[in-house]
DNA sequence: TTTATAACCTGAACGC
DNA sequence: TGCGTTCAGGTTATAA
């Protein structure tokens, strides 16, 4: 499920219940996620106080004085704040009981997510091997039209594929890549190296706008993280192209085209996007 | 170095 | 109703 806005919404949703709390018990029910959840997680995290939760790309970093728990939600992961007495259901893989009497529960049917313990030095500098080659945050100042123009010059790949390359910019998944390219009026299959600086300015601005709007929309659902039923905190996207192949373009009314690009469903308007 | 493809899993939706 | 097929919002490893 989660793209960057959902991960950020998750962070904001659980932080009030987790920040400042000590972890009294860690229960790993299923350790075979994207990478194995090792014993060091429970050993190191138990007894620690979580000082804050940061986000880098789609990773959540639970900071403690002794290191950090680094978590990725993969394609189907979610977190909820629950009463520890609530029995686990299928795919509830990890529980973290807090000294508040509540519990943070990790659920992930497809098990594409991951949970690591990282030592204090790596945690302080974000030098973990999964973090240290990531591109800039899309909502930060380092991400701009000038940056995109610069990194695209020698590339012979479609602009949408480049936008989803986490080494160049993090957090732009399939949904928001489609949406941002529509907003910027750029065809997803246009080669990255052939797009002008001015158009990259529009694209960078569109990426920021689309992501910020989605994060804002997530704000209305924060309370869902403490509900027992249903999946937490995800919101209905207001999407203009994704999932709408064949339907009329919201701008010109022509049917939206759907193609496969780098194995991912890609939707665009052949008239509005050039 | 850049790009393409396979792989990790399960579940939902769809067609027959 | 049941079964097989396809697809899913992520990311890395490996091959070309």
């Amino acid at each position: 499920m989660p793209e960057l806005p959902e991960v950020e919404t998750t962070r904001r949703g659980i932080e009030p219940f987790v920040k400042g709390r000590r972890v009294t018990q860690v229960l790993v029910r299923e350790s075979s996620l994207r990478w194995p959840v090792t014993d060091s997680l429970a050993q190191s995290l138990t007894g620690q106080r979580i000082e804050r939760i940061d986000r880098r790309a789609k990773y959540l970093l639970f900071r403690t004085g002794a290191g950090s728990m680094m978590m990725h939600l993969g394609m189907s992961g979610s977190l909820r704040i629950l009463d520890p007495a609530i029995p686990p259901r299928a795919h509830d893989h990890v529980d973290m009981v807090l000294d508040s009497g509540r519990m943070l529960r990790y659920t992930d049917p497809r098990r594409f997510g991951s949970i690591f313990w990282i030592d204090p030095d790596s945690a302080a500098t974000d030098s973990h091997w999964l973090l240290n080659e990531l591109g800039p945050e899309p909502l930060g100042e380092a991400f701009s039209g000038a940056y995109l123009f610069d990194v695209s010059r020698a590339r012979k790949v479609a602009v949408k594929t480049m936008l989803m390359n986490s080494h160049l910019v993090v957090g732009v998944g399939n949904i928001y890549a489609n949406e941002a390219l529509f907003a910027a009026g750029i065809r997803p299959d246009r080669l990255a190296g052939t797009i002008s600086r001015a158009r990259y300015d529009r694209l960078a601005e569109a990426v920021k706008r689309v992501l910020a709007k989605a994060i804002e929309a997530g704000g209305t659902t924060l309370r869902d993280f403490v509900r027992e039923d249903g999946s937490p905190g995800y919101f209905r996207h207001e999407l203009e192209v994704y999932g709408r192949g064949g339907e009329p373009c919201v701008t010109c009314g022509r049917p939206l085209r759907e193609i496969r690009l780098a194995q991912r469903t890609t939707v665009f308007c052949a008239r509005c996007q050039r």
Side-chain angles (χ1 to χ4, degrees), chain A residues 146-157:
Chain A
Y147 171 79
L148 281 177
F149 182 75
D150 201 36
V151 298
S152 66
R153 286 311 86 188
R155 300 207 177 246
K156 293 180 166 49
V157 71

Side-chain angles (χ1 to χ4, degrees), chain A residues 4-63:
Chain A
L4 187 141
E6 285 81 0
V7 177
E8 179 60 24
T9 298
T10 296
R11 191 190 71 75
R12 295 180 187 182
I14 64 173
E15 188 170 49
F17 302 94
V18 173
K19 188 175 178 177
R21 291 299 169 189
R22 197 175 292 280
V23 179
T24 58
Q25 189 189 352
V26 177
L27 177 60
V28 179
R29 217 171 276 108
E30 170 61 80
S31 63
S32 59
L33 303 184
R34 179 70 167 81
W35 285 280
V37 180
T38 63
D39 293 342
S40 66
L41 176 71
Q43 288 166 7
S44 304
L45 181 60
T46 304
Q48 296 302 321
R49 187 179 300 282
I50 296 169
E51 295 168 356
R52 67 177 193 280
I53 309 176
D54 293 333
R55 179 187 60 74
R56 171 72 176 109
K58 293 174 188 167
Y59 291 95
L60 291 172
L61 294 154
F62 296 72
R63 309 286 195 185

Side-chain angles (χ1 to χ4, degrees), chain A residues 157-160 186-195 199-200 261 274:
Chain A
V157 71
V159 59
K160 173 165 175 274
I186 298 171
R187 269 181 73 114
D189 56 353
R190 179 169 288 280
L191 294 185
T194 68
I195 295 173
R199 305 191 77 204
Y200 272 126
L261 213 51
R274 307 273 170 159

Side-chain angles (χ1 to χ4, degrees), chain A residues 143-271:
Chain A
F143 179 73
S144 64
Y147 171 79
L148 281 177
F149 182 75
D150 201 36
V151 298
S152 66
R153 286 311 86 188
R155 300 207 177 246
K156 293 180 166 49
V157 71
V159 59
K160 173 165 175 274
T161 306
M162 185 185 81
L163 203 54
M164 292 176 67
N165 181 343
S166 63
H167 292 97
L168 300 178
V169 57
V170 300
V172 185
N174 196 35
I175 292 178
Y176 296 110
N178 278 295
E179 295 297 315
L181 284 161
F182 177 75
I186 298 171
R187 269 181 73 114
D189 56 353
R190 179 169 288 280
L191 294 185
T194 68
I195 295 173
S196 71
R197 167 65 198 277
R199 305 191 77 204
Y200 272 126
D201 283 343
R202 284 207 292 279
L203 179 58
E205 201 271 327
V207 167
K208 289 172 190 281
R209 193 173 61 240
V210 165
L211 290 176
K213 190 176 162 194
I215 291 170
E216 197 179 322
T220 61
T221 67
L222 292 183
R223 66 189 144 187
D224 292 348
F225 285 92
V226 297
R227 291 194 319 183
E228 290 177 32
D229 56 328
S231 65
Y234 299 132
F235 37 96
R236 292 204 64 77
H237 303 280
E238 292 179 21
L239 302 176
E240 297 188 309
V241 288
Y242 184 82
R244 297 193 61 243
E247 294 178 35
C249 169
V250 296
T251 302
C252 75
R254 283 202 178 176
L256 294 172
R257 283 187 58 189
E258 184 167 311
I259 61 173
R260 299 283 288 182
L261 213 51
Q263 330 246 62
R264 309 306 294 271
T265 300
T266 302
V267 187
F268 66 98
C269 175
R271 181 182 190 128

